[in-house]
Amino acid sequence: MEFRQLRYFLAIVDAGSVSAASRRIHIAQPALTRQMKLLEQDLETQLFERHSRGISLTMTGRALVEYAEELLGRHDELKGRLTALGRGMTGRLSLAVTVTHLWMPQVSALLRDFRQRYPSVAMEVAPLLSGPQQERLREGTLDAGLLYLDRDDSNEIASLKVRDDRLLLALPTDSHWARHPPERLSQIEQTDFVWGFRHISPEYHDRVARHFRRLDFHPRIVQYGADNIAILSMVSAGLGITVVPDSACANPMPGVVFQRMEELERCVMPLHLAWRADNDSPTVANLAALVKDHLSSASFEALPS
């Protein structure tokens, strides 16, 4: 028994005759008659009473009408669901974003655009630093992430470069350096410095550390924070100064002023959309395509200053 035979059967029932059904569904009458005989042979029962005035349904034929409608309804529903899933129109997407970038208007616009295009996709968005993001991507417990990614020698991670962040100096608003901004990093080498642990974002930490070494800058670190929000909170409390990506400007924090410095802006921090290279999820592919659309419109380039 084939689904197309059931459709032919219901077409005949609806039209009232084989000839009328043949014209309606554009199938030659002999072919349609043959398919009904094959269906009866397969079911080992007679579905139609054939007489001089036409045809009528047998008892089993009448029973099949209800079953056929139910089966075809389920078939069409399943087909629709699988088609939508295969196109990334339904399903789920787990996305992590670094804490600082969650506040960027460009990221908000991306999430809003994704929701408008794919309203039936259940999207989970979580704040997560770059280091843990890479671990979860490799474990397969995260679909995609917006994170700092320099390179991935294992070839496990595929990525799309989103933008280059630059570094800023963050100072307490009531500090001496806020009133008299330094021009060179050497001027603030003896100032208390708040920094983050390397394991929370190795790519970011190592790139900044290399840049500091090139400038022969050795900050006096007196406090550590778990992420940029915690670090900026300590700066706001007057516990020290720090360096953060310029994306931090998207979420101004009371008690903190940002200062651009030519020496810091030479350090480029590449932000990527990343996912496992073997992840064939259509929802991930749709997200990457949407990011490319936003990149083509340069929406990720402009940041508040």
Side-chain angles (χ1 to χ4, degrees):
M1 180 174 60
E2 301 176 6
F3 283 109
R4 66 189 177 99
Q5 291 174 330
L6 293 179
R7 293 189 190 281
Y8 294 161
F9 169 74
L10 290 180
I12 294 172
V13 173
D14 186 55
S17 70
V18 176
S19 59
S22 172
R23 292 190 296 271
R24 182 177 297 181
I25 62 178
H26 308 292
I27 299 292
Q29 185 171 339
L32 192 55
T33 299
R34 173 170 173 75
Q35 287 300 321
M36 289 304 95
K37 288 183 178 179
L38 290 173
L39 179 59
E40 288 178 325
Q41 290 174 10
D42 187 39
L43 295 176
E44 298 181 355
T45 187
Q46 187 175 343
L47 301 174
F48 297 101
E49 292 283 359
R50 294 165 178 85
H51 41 74
S52 59
R53 292 174 298 174
I55 60 172
S56 60
L57 289 171
T58 63
M59 180 185 68
T60 52
R62 291 193 296 272
L64 181 60
V65 171
E66 181 179 349
Y67 291 126
E69 289 175 343
E70 181 181 354
L71 283 172
L72 289 173
R74 290 184 178 181
H75 171 267
D76 291 344
E77 180 184 3
L78 177 60
K79 181 180 177 181
R81 287 184 178 182
L82 292 178
T83 298
L85 187 62
R87 293 176 180 174
M89 304 301 294
T90 61
R92 63 180 295 276
L93 175 71
S94 57
L95 173 68
V97 183
T98 60
V99 177
T100 303
H101 293 96
L102 268 176
W103 301 101
M104 284 178 58
Q106 296 87 341
V107 174
S108 298
L110 174 67
L111 298 179
R112 182 169 57 251
D113 198 2
F114 187 89
R115 168 58 58 227
Q116 291 173 348
R117 294 195 190 191
Y118 308 105
S120 296
V121 174
M123 182 166 54
E124 301 174 10
V125 181
L128 198 62
L129 294 165
S130 296
Q133 280 196 48
Q134 289 190 53
E135 291 177 8
R136 288 193 56 190
L137 284 171
R138 292 191 177 94
E139 292 170 356
T141 58
L142 180 68
D143 291 324
L146 274 172
L147 70 160
Y148 289 123
L149 185 66
D150 198 357
R151 62 183 181 276
D152 182 65
D153 296 329
S154 68
N155 296 320
E156 289 181 301
I157 305 298
S159 68
L160 173 65
K161 185 177 176 181
V162 173
R163 59 168 279 109
D164 285 328
D165 279 356
R166 308 284 173 164
L167 296 180
L168 295 173
L169 188 64
L171 310 159
T173 52
D174 59 355
S175 69
H176 165 79
W177 294 118
R179 296 188 299 272
H180 306 282
E183 296 181 358
R184 301 186 65 84
L185 289 174
S186 58
Q187 295 175 249
I188 57 174
E189 193 164 50
Q190 297 305 310
T191 304
D192 289 350
F193 202 86
V194 184
W195 198 229
F197 299 103
R198 180 184 182 277
H199 71 271
I200 64 176
S201 188
E203 299 282 359
Y204 175 84
H205 183 282
D206 292 350
R207 185 173 281 252
V208 176
R210 288 194 298 270
H211 187 67
F212 283 175
R213 286 195 296 270
R214 283 194 295 269
L215 296 172
D216 196 28
F217 174 59
H218 307 281
R220 188 175 71 186
I221 300 172
V222 298
Q223 298 285 340
Y224 285 90
D227 54 43
N228 279 330
I229 299 301
I231 290 171
L232 289 173
S233 296
M234 287 190 279
V235 172
S236 176
L239 303 184
I241 65 175
T242 194
V243 167
V244 292
D246 58 3
S247 54
C249 292
N251 182 37
M253 181 169 289
V256 177
V257 61
F258 298 106
Q259 176 68 37
R260 294 191 178 275
M261 297 182 68
E262 190 274 334
E263 286 180 328
L264 289 178
E265 290 190 335
R266 292 184 212 156
C267 184
V268 177
M269 307 299 303
L271 181 70
H272 288 250
L273 175 72
W275 60 94
R276 276 185 64 98
D278 60 358
N279 188 341
D280 61 354
S281 166
T283 57
V284 173
N286 288 341
L287 177 63
L290 187 58
V291 169
K292 289 180 181 178
D293 288 346
H294 280 237
L295 290 174
S296 65
S297 65
S299 64
F300 272 98
E301 293 306 312
L303 275 171
S305 60

